[in-house]
Amino acid sequence: MTEPRLLWISVVATGVFAAMGITWGIASGSGMIVFDGLYSLVSLGLSMMSLLALKEIAKGESERFPFGKSQFEPMLVAFKSVTIIGMCLYAAADSVMALFDGGRDVALGSALVYAMITTGGSLAVALLLMRHGRRLGSALIDAEKNQWLGDTLLSLCVLIAFGVAFAVLPWSYPAAIPYVDPAMVVIASCLFLALPARSLLSAFRELLFMRADDAIADRLEAEALAAADHLSAKQHKVHVIAIGRQLEVEVNFLLDDDRGFAVTEMDAQRQRFIEVAKSFKQRAWVNMNITRDASQL
């Protein structure tokens, strides 16, 4: 399944969940369900932005963007993460105020049915994105997957809380029923912050041009050691950063003689690095320098 098709599936499913959540939440009087619907509505807008970003990234380099548009991907992931974090913090603050105001009256049976539907549906979409996302290696699909995993967690919390409340509270602690809904919003919002926070940290690492993950950098370093031995290089240095779906690699070799190299030989060595880089990311930009000037390392 292609990346655009997966994003469109996410968009359609998000639209359905948003409409259902907001309508059902208002009808049942549940702030938790309204929050779930609003989260889906925000996710819908963010998913549409993902589709637009994907279209721009696919255009590749241009006169205005000579190195392509891979940076659009971490920028969008960061924006999506900040938006979701802000929404969660607002919902948590609003529900804390509701707790101090005496809670909310909620139709527990209706809320329980909603939670069962959304938990199953959210998990199905998350698993679909997870399955195909591994193959595609797309940060956008990974961010979408994290959104759906968060929604699954949110719906599961609602299901457990409303299930317990429906089965126990009306007979044992009826006065506690109004506090169940806002308490669950607070708990779910706090738990839900972990996924977008992780995506935000990863996006910032890419935007700051920080060194790629050890698994990637170490593999390229091993390849550089082999190439240095083949070229009889005195020293070498590898620079590698990941930006969205692209790896940018610069490999420098320091020689202490005037040995000449055929273009075909240099291309063969560079191709080895390209193949390693593409085993981790969809695209790779590799620059290989051979010099006798130590300052160029």
Side-chain angles (χ1 to χ4, degrees), residues 17-27 33-34 36-39 41 114:
F17 276 86
M20 183 174 68
I22 295 173
T23 304
W24 205 313
I26 293 174
I33 295 178
V34 171
D36 191 39
L38 289 175
Y39 165 77
L41 186 62
Y114 171 84

Side-chain angles (χ1 to χ4, degrees), residues 219-254:
R219 180 67 183 84
L220 286 164
E221 176 62 30
E223 193 64 41
L225 281 171
D229 182 65
H230 175 77
L231 298 171
S232 299
K234 184 179 178 181
Q235 295 181 44
H236 73 276
K237 185 172 288 187
V238 180
H239 304 272
V240 53
I241 60 174
I243 306 176
R245 64 200 62 205
Q246 178 169 304
L247 274 182
E248 297 193 2
V249 183
E250 181 179 291
V251 191
N252 299 319
F253 296 100
L254 177 66

Side-chain angles (χ1 to χ4, degrees), residues 48-62 64-65 67-73 76 140 245 283:
M48 293 298 295
M49 291 178 63
S50 295
L51 283 168
L52 292 174
L54 180 62
K55 184 177 180 180
E56 286 298 314
I57 292 170
K59 292 179 180 178
E61 63 183 63
S62 64
R64 190 174 183 184
F65 295 95
F67 290 96
K69 302 174 182 177
S70 296
Q71 68 274 17
F72 283 19
E73 195 165 357
L76 179 59
L140 292 179
R245 64 200 62 205
R283 301 174 184 172

Side-chain angles (χ1 to χ4, degrees), residues 193-294:
L193 288 173
L195 289 173
R198 186 180 68 178
S199 295
L200 180 62
L201 179 61
S202 177
F204 272 147
R205 284 181 58 87
E206 294 184 6
L207 290 171
L208 292 174
F209 290 0
M210 295 179 67
R211 181 176 182 264
D213 292 341
D214 288 343
I216 299 174
D218 291 348
R219 180 67 183 84
L220 286 164
E221 176 62 30
E223 193 64 41
L225 281 171
D229 182 65
H230 175 77
L231 298 171
S232 299
K234 184 179 178 181
Q235 295 181 44
H236 73 276
K237 185 172 288 187
V238 180
H239 304 272
V240 53
I241 60 174
I243 306 176
R245 64 200 62 205
Q246 178 169 304
L247 274 182
E248 297 193 2
V249 183
E250 181 179 291
V251 191
N252 299 319
F253 296 100
L254 177 66
L255 274 62
D256 57 4
D257 57 31
D258 292 324
R259 177 188 170 190
F261 294 93
V263 173
T264 53
E265 183 179 1
M266 295 178 66
D267 284 343
Q269 292 297 324
R270 185 183 297 106
Q271 186 60 35
R272 291 171 60 180
F273 288 99
I274 292 173
E275 290 173 0
V276 171
K278 284 189 173 181
S279 70
F280 291 101
K281 294 286 186 176
Q282 292 181 14
R283 301 174 184 172
W285 181 86
V286 177
N287 182 42
M288 189 176 76
N289 299 312
I290 299 176
T291 181
R292 291 189 63 192
D293 184 356

Side-chain angles (χ1 to χ4, degrees), residues 38-228:
L38 289 175
Y39 165 77
S40 296
L41 186 62
V42 171
S43 296
L44 177 61
L46 296 175
S47 296
M48 293 298 295
M49 291 178 63
S50 295
L51 283 168
L52 292 174
L54 180 62
K55 184 177 180 180
E56 286 298 314
I57 292 170
K59 292 179 180 178
E61 63 183 63
S62 64
E63 184 177 350
R64 190 174 183 184
F65 295 95
F67 290 96
K69 302 174 182 177
S70 296
Q71 68 274 17
F72 283 19
E73 195 165 357
M75 288 172 62
L76 179 59
V77 170
F79 177 75
K80 292 170 71 170
S81 300
V82 169
T83 301
I84 293 172
I85 289 171
M87 187 185 67
C88 289
L89 292 176
Y90 176 81
D94 180 69
S95 293
V96 167
M97 294 177 62
L99 285 171
F100 284 107
D101 289 338
R104 303 187 185 104
D105 293 324
V106 179
L108 293 180
S110 177
L112 187 59
V113 173
Y114 171 84
M116 294 172 65
I117 295 172
T118 55
T119 300
S122 298
L123 181 60
V125 177
L127 291 176
L128 177 68
L129 295 175
M130 185 182 300
R131 176 187 172 188
H132 293 282
R134 290 197 189 102
R135 174 178 56 83
L136 294 170
S138 166
L140 292 179
I141 296 297
D142 190 58
E144 289 291 312
K145 176 206 69 180
N146 285 340
Q147 286 179 213
W148 282 103
L149 285 176
D151 210 6
T152 301
L153 174 64
L154 197 63
S155 298
L156 183 61
C157 288
V158 175
L159 179 61
I160 294 171
F162 285 147
V164 172
F166 184 77
V168 178
L169 295 185
W171 294 273
S172 303
Y173 306 99
I177 292 177
Y179 295 96
V180 172
D181 185 74
M184 283 311 304
V185 175
V186 174
I187 294 171
S189 297
C190 293
L191 290 174
F192 185 60
L193 288 173
L195 289 173
R198 186 180 68 178
S199 295
L200 180 62
L201 179 61
S202 177
F204 272 147
R205 284 181 58 87
E206 294 184 6
L207 290 171
L208 292 174
F209 290 0
M210 295 179 67
R211 181 176 182 264
D213 292 341
D214 288 343
I216 299 174
D218 291 348
R219 180 67 183 84
L220 286 164
E221 176 62 30
E223 193 64 41
L225 281 171

